[in-house]
Amino acid sequence: MPTPVVMPQMGESIAEGTIVRWIKKVGDQVERDEPLFEISTDKVDAEIPSPAAGVLTDIRVHEGETVGVNTVVAEIGQANDVRRADPAEEGASGAGSAAAKQQADGQTTPVPMPADETVSAIKTEQPSGNGRRRSSPLVRRIAKEHNVDIAQIAGSGIGGRVTKDDILGFIEQGEGRLEPAAASSRASAAPAQARAPQTVRPSGADRVEKMSVMRRKIAEHMVLSTRTSAHVYSVFHVNFSEIDKLRQQKKAEYEAVGAKLTYMAFIARVVVEALHHHPTINASIDGDNVVYKKDINLGIAVALDDGLIVPVIRNADEKNVLGLSRAIADVAERARAKRLNPDEVHDGTFTITNPGQFGAQFGMPIINQPQVAILGIGTIEKRPVVIADAIGIRTMAYLTLGYDHRLVDGAVADQFMADVKRRLECFDANDC
């Protein structure tokens, strides 16, 4: 029996992915865990490994197409199972790819596809019998959070499917909380094209490039976060002088075992300790419920050439500074090489981002949904500070906590940050 290859779920809020490139072609021999194709989502660009050894016998979803998670995109089998498309099927595949490209480009007119379409995994979606249109889990979650009836939205996706852009545009226009009759009337009068932002006409010297799939989805995810969470920020000035001394003392010892001792490892260690004592910061909101997470899974933001990715270190509280140093370096390196596994970019409970590595004094990061807080690290440098009525030089940095005021009050956030500050300034050398 052939082994199906499915679109993996690359994040808990990710409902679909776009195939950017097939690394192998039909008829190629592949080994288990050998890179098979590359996908793009709002969380990650990643090369997906083959689930089995054998021959790539069939490709069902082509480059540029977007499909839901767990959709079968290809099959691995034996050489005699190779499926060669005949001219009629190639035409069908072309129509499917054109439809997917239109949807990715934001066009709303669906491309007709043959009734016996079997190559493309994107299927026409019709409203269900109860009047609700079929949509992805992410769209349904947005609808629930904003009290929107999906049935009132004119979908621009293939077969009238309601896309993320449709529902966000609907909410942006202030239509989301209207009574159904009024919403239906206005939705009919304002098609998706009318709700789209106006295109800026470039001058002759401007260079215009299409947004990458990753960049476009990051944009959607960030806008969704600002609409979902009530963002508030607290900034603390922290003395890193003691940690700087420890780094100098331990640097050679860490290098001897192949690890680089960074400030981030110390910060990560302190944060996971503090999260144990402040469970609200390690929680999430699910409708009217608060979910207090049992595990501490630490997300570390990694800057890429064309985007940002947040790999997750699971059970980070079980690691000391050495273990965190190795884990952070490992996920960062593999993120840049597009070698992360699907389960390494979701289920995070708290995120740390480090704009200070580029010289920023501090930043105001956007919360990584569905988390309720994110810590930003400013540049760590020597500064003059007042110490016992005298001016001294100390290694200092600003730490910024962005938090969701729907759940986290200022007092709770500041107590957490005060705990982080205290632990950093009086770091226990035994944790190294």
Side-chain angles (χ1 to χ4, degrees):
M1 289 288 293
T3 300
V5 180
V6 302
M7 174 65 70
Q9 182 159 16
M10 299 300 287
E12 55 193 316
S13 62
I14 301 301
E16 60 189 16
T18 301
I19 293 185
V20 177
R21 176 172 67 101
W22 278 100
I23 300 169
K24 298 290 185 178
K25 63 180 182 296
V26 172
D28 283 354
Q29 183 75 33
V30 295
E31 300 298 327
R32 181 181 175 85
D33 295 328
E34 184 179 6
L36 190 58
F37 60 99
E38 184 179 331
I39 70 166
S40 184
T41 73
D42 65 344
K43 288 183 180 289
V44 62
D45 277 2
E47 291 180 351
I48 305 304
S50 174
V55 174
L56 180 58
T57 60
D58 187 19
I59 291 178
R60 298 188 182 184
V61 180
H62 300 276
E63 293 178 359
E65 293 190 67
T66 301
V67 296
V69 298
N70 297 322
T71 298
V72 176
V73 300
E75 288 185 347
I76 303 293
Q78 303 303 316
N80 57 1
D81 297 326
V82 172
R83 182 176 183 274
R84 303 291 184 184
D86 60 31
E89 288 176 320
E90 289 177 353
S93 176
S97 298
K101 184 178 186 302
Q102 260 199 340
Q103 187 178 13
D105 291 346
Q107 300 177 24
T108 57
T109 304
V111 175
M113 291 192 294
D116 61 347
E117 172 68 81
T118 59
V119 179
S120 173
I122 299 180
K123 299 182 183 296
T124 300
E125 296 188 356
Q126 300 294 343
S128 60
N130 60 5
R132 295 182 63 85
R133 294 182 182 273
R134 292 179 59 189
S135 54
S136 71
L138 177 58
V139 169
R140 292 194 293 273
R141 180 166 67 81
I142 298 171
K144 179 181 178 182
E145 290 172 350
H146 293 272
N147 297 322
V148 172
D149 183 358
I150 295 178
Q152 307 304 321
I153 301 175
S156 65
I158 296 175
R161 181 188 184 201
V162 176
T163 67
K164 189 193 308 183
D165 287 339
D166 293 333
I167 193 167
L168 293 180
F170 191 75
I171 295 168
E172 182 71 18
Q173 293 297 317
E175 299 170 327
R177 298 180 182 274
L178 296 178
E179 293 298 320
S184 177
S185 173
R186 291 187 61 182
S188 299
Q193 298 96 321
R195 294 196 300 271
Q198 290 186 340
T199 301
V200 177
R201 184 180 298 278
S203 68
D206 292 341
R207 179 165 59 91
V208 180
E209 292 182 357
K210 193 72 175 176
M211 265 188 168
S212 68
V213 174
M214 186 181 195
R215 184 75 265 161
R216 188 171 70 246
K217 290 184 179 294
I218 287 174
E220 294 170 354
H221 193 60
M222 293 298 96
V223 171
L224 171 63
S225 182
T226 59
R227 287 173 172 158
T228 300
S229 296
H231 281 68
V232 184
Y233 296 91
S234 291
V235 182
F236 277 59
H237 206 194
V238 178
N239 188 341
F240 278 82
S241 297
E242 289 302 315
I243 286 179
D244 188 47
K245 292 178 183 177
L246 276 174
R247 284 185 70 230
Q248 300 306 319
Q249 294 170 8
K250 299 279 187 179
K251 183 183 297 185
E253 179 183 330
Y254 273 57
E255 289 176 351
V257 294
K260 184 179 180 181
L261 186 55
T262 64
Y263 287 113
M264 179 62 80
F266 286 98
I267 295 168
R269 177 60 186 164
V270 162
V271 164
V272 296
E273 287 177 343
L275 288 172
H276 271 301
H277 298 277
H278 305 273
T280 302
I281 308 296
N282 198 53
S284 64
I285 297 174
D286 182 14
D288 294 331
N289 300 318
V290 178
V291 180
Y292 295 94
K293 304 293 185 176
K294 174 179 66 69
D295 298 326
I296 295 178
N297 299 332
L298 193 62
I300 303 293
V302 177
L304 307 177
D305 290 339
D306 57 350
L308 184 74
I309 185 173
V310 186
V312 174
I313 299 172
R314 294 179 178 275
N315 301 310
D317 51 321
E318 298 177 359
K319 301 180 184 296
N320 61 7
V321 174
L322 176 59
L324 287 168
S325 295
R326 286 172 165 165
I328 292 169
D330 173 60
V331 295
E333 180 181 353
R334 289 191 291 112
R336 295 186 179 103
K338 300 181 181 179
R339 292 287 191 272
L340 288 173
N341 298 321
D343 62 351
E344 291 179 305
V345 290
H346 65 89
D347 292 337
T349 61
F350 184 87
T351 295
I352 300 177
T353 184
N354 184 20
Q357 65 183 309
F358 304 110
Q361 292 293 305
F362 57 85
M364 299 293 183
I366 296 174
I367 296 167
N368 187 17
Q369 298 294 325
Q371 299 166 27
V372 296
I374 182 170
L375 183 68
I377 311 301
T379 190
I380 301 174
E381 60 185 4
K382 290 187 181 297
R383 295 177 190 149
V385 294
V386 177
I387 303 170
D389 294 332
I391 301 296
I393 304 299
R394 297 292 184 270
T395 302
M396 307 292 295
Y398 291 104
L399 305 189
T400 303
L401 184 74
Y403 55 96
D404 189 342
H405 212 338
R406 295 180 304 162
L407 177 62
V408 182
D409 291 329
V412 174
D414 290 346
Q415 288 164 9
F416 170 77
M417 287 298 290
D419 193 6
V420 169
K421 175 182 170 73
R422 176 183 61 80
R423 292 172 185 273
L424 285 170
E425 294 180 343
C426 305
F427 192 85
D428 185 355
N430 294 323
D431 276 347
C432 289

